[in-house]
Amino acid sequence: MDKGLKIAKIVVTVAAILSFGLAAFFLGTYYVGGLSYLYHSEAALKVALTFVGIMALALAVIVALAVLMFKSKKVIGIICLVLLILLIPVAHIASLCGIFISIANGAYGCSYTEDVQNYGVLDGDVKLPSYFPKSITNDMTVAKYTYFYKEVDRSQVDLYLEVSFENRETMERYLTEAKQSLSAKGVEEYQNPYNGKYTDVIGWQEYIASKDEWYLDHSLTDFQGREDYQYVWTAYRAVVYSYEDLTVIYNYTSLGEEICVGSDPDNNEYYPEILERFNVEWSKKNSFNSRDFLGEI
């Protein structure tokens, strides 16, 4: 074999394998990265296994082409060389696609559970809000627990716990504890915008960078988007209660435009549980801000 051709084949083989490795890595951050979520779905596992299988097959083809290129006669060897050369830009394009889709959508999958047995066990980046109960007690009857978490640009979180009590005295004890944990400075209350039987409680928070200065942690739901892409910009951090129903809802929702309305959490489609609870449909007229009730305080 001509020495120059042999060197060219070695260089192309190394470049092809490295390019494939980069493509596999960046695409893998999307197709396999979702397995890092604590409560990933079976669908996410199937997607990851399918991707690994395809990548293994692609690598086998590259290796086979390289072996044929070195061992076959001139014509077949040149064909294999050309195919490997063509593979390099294709792999780079795949790498760019992997980077783009991972930035835009995060990894395929999410953490999602409705099993109250999982209460309080969250992904590493998520902390149980201080005003949520530390544990589920015998005094509580759990109506619904939901935990959704996904990393897209930032942490997208929905934590929802709805419990009922046998009597007002017991409920009052837990409600008082929640209010005290919500803020050391105090809380503000207003009628829930979606159900008049319920009351929302939000708290004052201290500025991290400036001691002795406080701001009211206002809640809001901002219905945005268009017909083919609807989302709800949601910052709903509140305790919601009803003495009539003997019910307390502990809610923490922080979702942005990266999460659209739908029922496929793995694919960034999710609707806040607090809105589902009160049967609130997506509509810009259903937007609310606690400032509308409390003013600029």
Side-chain angles (χ1 to χ4, degrees):
M1 181 186 300
D2 180 78
K3 185 177 180 180
L5 181 59
K6 183 177 181 180
I7 293 174
K9 289 181 177 181
I10 292 173
V11 171
V12 168
T13 300
V14 172
I17 292 175
L18 289 177
S19 298
F20 168 79
L22 286 174
F25 174 78
F26 288 118
L27 289 171
T29 57
Y30 175 74
Y31 290 106
V32 182
L35 297 185
S36 65
Y37 289 117
L38 185 58
Y39 303 110
H40 62 261
S41 66
E42 289 186 6
L45 178 59
K46 290 178 181 177
V47 166
L49 291 176
T50 300
F51 173 78
V52 171
I54 292 173
M55 290 297 100
L57 180 61
L59 180 59
V61 170
I62 292 172
V63 172
L65 285 173
V67 171
L68 280 173
M69 180 178 64
F70 282 102
K71 289 189 174 183
S72 299
K73 294 182 180 180
K74 190 171 183 179
V75 174
I76 296 178
I78 293 300
I79 292 174
C80 293
L81 176 62
V82 171
L83 290 175
L84 287 174
I85 291 173
L86 292 175
L87 171 69
I88 295 171
V90 170
H92 284 298
I93 292 172
S95 295
L96 292 174
C97 290
I99 294 170
F100 175 78
I101 195 172
S102 295
I103 292 174
N105 299 309
Y108 178 86
C110 66
S111 257
Y112 183 79
T113 182
E114 295 181 4
D115 187 349
V116 72
Q117 298 299 319
N118 295 326
Y119 179 76
V121 182
L122 311 174
D123 290 80
D125 292 339
V126 186
K127 305 298 181 184
L128 190 69
S130 61
Y131 55 91
F132 274 61
K134 297 298 183 290
S135 62
I136 305 300
T137 69
N138 293 330
D139 294 327
M140 305 172 178
T141 299
V142 178
K144 186 70 179 286
Y145 170 65
T146 300
Y147 167 56
F148 166 78
Y149 167 68
K150 188 175 179 71
E151 278 288 337
V152 191
D153 186 48
R154 62 180 180 85
S155 293
Q156 313 282 339
V157 183
D158 190 38
L159 258 172
Y160 177 96
L161 175 67
E162 179 179 344
V163 297
S164 60
F165 300 90
E166 290 187 355
N167 54 68
R168 178 164 177 156
E169 290 73 21
T170 303
M171 172 182 159
E172 187 67 45
R173 177 159 51 87
Y174 281 89
L175 182 58
T176 298
E177 182 179 333
K179 290 179 181 179
Q180 292 173 345
S181 300
L182 188 61
S183 174
K185 188 177 188 296
V187 297
E188 302 291 340
E189 302 188 25
Y190 57 91
Q191 186 180 60
N192 182 273
Y194 302 124
N195 188 315
K197 292 194 304 181
Y198 283 76
T199 299
D200 281 19
V201 185
I202 59 177
W204 289 88
Q205 303 299 324
E206 191 172 24
Y207 284 104
I208 296 175
S210 178
K211 298 297 182 182
D212 300 324
E213 289 190 64
W214 297 76
Y215 67 95
L216 188 58
D217 191 15
H218 284 284
S219 288
L220 66 88
T221 56
D222 190 8
F223 292 77
Q224 292 293 332
R226 53 188 186 273
E227 192 65 29
D228 60 337
Y229 190 86
Q230 302 171 346
Y231 66 91
V232 190
W233 188 279
T234 315
Y236 203 137
R237 299 173 287 270
V239 178
V240 183
Y241 69 90
S242 168
Y243 285 123
E244 182 177 338
D245 292 344
L246 291 178
T247 294
V248 176
I249 297 171
Y250 304 87
N251 191 77
Y252 180 96
T253 308
S254 180
L255 301 173
E257 61 183 328
E258 297 83 4
I259 306 298
C260 66
V261 173
S263 56
D264 187 1
D266 284 334
N267 278 316
N268 301 18
E269 295 181 8
Y270 179 82
Y271 200 57
E273 187 63 44
I274 189 73
L275 299 182
E276 292 274 16
R277 169 62 173 81
F278 293 121
N279 299 313
V280 182
E281 297 181 350
W282 182 92
S283 173
K284 293 186 178 181
K285 67 181 182 181
N286 285 331
S287 297
F288 98 94
N289 191 318
S290 55
R291 288 183 174 85
D292 297 337
F293 301 85
L294 298 172
E296 292 291 340
I297 61 174

